[in-house]
Amino acid sequence: EDQVTQSPEALRLQEGESSSLNCSYTVSGLRGLFWYRQDPGKGPEFLFTLYSAGEEKEKERLKATLTKKESFLHITAPKPEDSATYLCAVQAGFQKLVFGTGTRLLVSP
Amino acid sequence: GAGVSQSPSNKVTEKGKDVELRCDPISGHTALYWYRQSLGQGLEFLIYFQGNSAPDKSGLPSDRFSAERTGGSVSTLTIQRTQQEDSAVYLCASSLGGGPGDIQYFGAGTRLSVL
């Protein structure tokens, strides 16, 4: 069964304090690993798709990396507006996404 | 262009009543998905529509849940005889072609509360 585990569940950072979020997965035949950001009361907002081990993608202060067993979302010098829940999901075989439970990030000024 | 639109944004109902949730996908997107997000849990896949193909209903939790998609566009998720455990946020997503790696774009969801 496809499974996604995210850690930590919650993370509190000071503005400018860099850190990483982890997404561990088990899947038969990875078609894509997705990162989304979700703000309270809103739907998930797409950030990145990674397809193969070794791939990296960057957007502003965020960088996503992928290995055969896990993905990391690195946040460099975060700002308060980066506060949100970050969701990781895998796609294998069928088109549905299998999501982790997310990491709630709070960045304090 | 407009994103995925869901209505209503909030729905409060009594146990045993039927509810209908609506989703308008992004124009031109052929694939449409329904997910459920319960407190403290990850998004849970419910059903997937792709063009005129038979939908993938493998995620529907019981026969009280059903969904249809009319004209390849608007979709309605119906929950019959609602139970308190149905309380959750119901999210709709659409993607361009439904192929591997296709980006799914989500609506803001419908928050369902069953009293």
Side-chain angles (χ1 to χ4, degrees):
Chain A
E1 181 181 347
D2 301 335
Q3 197 165 6
V4 178
T5 302
Q6 291 189 248
S7 62
E9 289 186 8
L11 180 63
R12 175 171 284 192
L13 299 174
Q14 289 295 122
E15 184 172 3
E17 179 186 2
S18 301
S19 188
S20 297
L21 312 183
N22 177 264
C23 170
S24 298
Y25 65 91
T26 53
V27 64
S28 52
L30 181 70
R31 297 292 188 97
L33 185 140
F34 297 77
W35 282 98
Y36 285 84
R37 168 190 171 130
Q38 187 173 27
D39 292 293
K42 296 188 177 181
E45 174 188 348
F46 171 76
L47 292 174
F48 304 109
T49 310
L50 301 167
Y51 296 100
S52 57
E55 189 175 2
E56 299 182 352
K57 288 191 177 175
E58 286 188 68
K59 179 181 178 181
E60 297 181 351
R61 295 177 293 282
L62 301 177
K63 179 180 177 180
T65 61
L66 181 66
T67 72
K68 289 186 178 180
K69 294 184 178 181
E70 57 191 351
S71 176
F72 291 94
L73 185 65
H74 307 279
I75 304 177
T76 301
K79 297 182 177 181
E81 52 262 43
D82 294 323
S83 298
T85 295
Y86 290 85
L87 302 171
C88 173
V90 296
Q91 185 183 52
F94 301 103
Q95 302 314 309
K96 68 177 183 180
L97 295 178
V98 176
F99 281 85
T101 51
T103 293
R104 294 190 315 277
L105 174 65
L106 178 62
V107 182
S108 303
Chain B
V4 177
S5 178
Q6 292 189 244
S7 60
S9 54
N10 285 282
K11 176 71 177 179
V12 180
T13 190
E14 295 180 350
K15 177 181 172 181
K17 300 284 189 181
D18 298 351
V19 295
E20 286 189 352
L21 312 179
R22 177 186 168 103
C23 173
D24 275 285
I26 294 172
S27 178
H29 281 194
T30 62
L32 186 148
Y33 314 77
W34 284 98
Y35 293 85
R36 177 169 70 174
Q37 187 172 33
S38 303
L39 196 62
Q41 298 187 18
L43 277 75
E44 173 193 7
F45 167 78
L46 297 177
I47 188 169
Y48 159 63
F49 295 90
Q50 171 56 55
N52 295 320
S53 302
D56 174 3
K57 304 179 182 180
S58 60
L60 294 179
S62 77
D63 58 9
R64 296 186 295 105
F65 288 72
S66 63
E68 63 177 18
R69 189 178 185 191
T70 54
S73 181
V74 172
S75 176
T76 302
L77 177 69
T78 301
I79 308 174
Q80 296 179 311
R81 305 181 302 282
T82 52
Q83 304 295 312
Q84 288 185 333
E85 61 262 28
D86 299 334
S87 296
V89 177
Y90 289 83
L91 291 160
C92 176
S94 69
S95 69
L96 190 58
D102 245 20
I103 299 168
Q104 296 182 22
Y105 296 91
F106 285 82
T110 293
R111 181 175 297 278
L112 175 66
S113 300
V114 182
L115 304 180

